[in-house]
Amino acid sequence: MYRLMQPEDKPAVLALWQSQRNESEEFAKKAIEQFAGEQNVYVAEENDEIAAVALAVPVTLQGRTGTYLYGLCGEGSLILAGLVDYLCAQQKLRGAGFTVAVPTGPAQAALLQDKGFAWAFPCLLYTSPSPRDTR
């Protein structure tokens, strides 16, 4: 089942976040409470346990409101794919005109592409000149 996080889910969400993302409880709390807001945290529940989590951070781009999909974590590509579908559909109902994400690795990039995400912004690499470069 996919749904918004409830207050009683928070300890399980924090534990999942820490185990999947290798980040501190303090960082996870700030991401949930201050970056996204608790009202924007979606969870996947399986066998009465939180199996996946994702944050729907409200954003604006050139005057359009949208969502930044952040912190997607959990075990199993099917449950993650379902959570992404649910989050995107719910955000669209809330008026989001787009959803953006920054994949954490090749597997997540493939999952997001399978869900219809497309590369919108190219990665740019800027290398500053070496101090020894006298050109």
Side-chain angles (χ1 to χ4, degrees), residues 1-3 42-46 49-53 79-80 83:
M1 172 172 63
Y2 305 103
R3 59 181 174 77
Y42 289 84
V43 297
E45 188 177 44
E46 193 173 67
E49 292 187 16
I50 303 299
V53 64
I79 200 148
L80 291 172
L83 182 58

Side-chain angles (χ1 to χ4, degrees), residues 57-116:
V57 182
V59 295
T60 303
L61 178 64
Q62 296 182 341
R64 293 181 56 209
T65 59
T67 301
Y68 171 35
L69 172 64
Y70 179 74
L72 177 64
C73 61
E75 291 290 332
S77 60
L78 286 178
I79 200 148
L80 291 172
L83 182 58
V84 169
D85 283 341
Y86 182 78
L87 181 149
C88 290
Q90 292 301 305
Q91 289 299 299
K92 188 173 184 178
L93 290 173
R94 288 182 173 188
F98 62 91
T99 299
V100 296
V102 178
T104 57
Q108 197 172 92
L111 179 132
L112 293 171
Q113 284 184 306
D114 287 347
K115 296 281 107 202

Side-chain angles (χ1 to χ4, degrees), residues 3-11 13-14 28-43 53-58 91 94:
R3 59 181 174 77
L4 284 170
M5 180 185 80
Q6 299 300 307
E8 61 271 14
D9 298 327
K10 195 169 180 183
V13 167
L14 290 171
K29 278 184 179 180
K30 282 184 179 181
I32 290 167
E33 295 169 1
Q34 297 173 17
F35 188 51
E38 291 186 24
Q39 72 277 13
N40 296 311
V41 179
Y42 289 84
V43 297
V53 64
L55 281 62
V57 182
Q91 289 299 299
R94 288 182 173 188

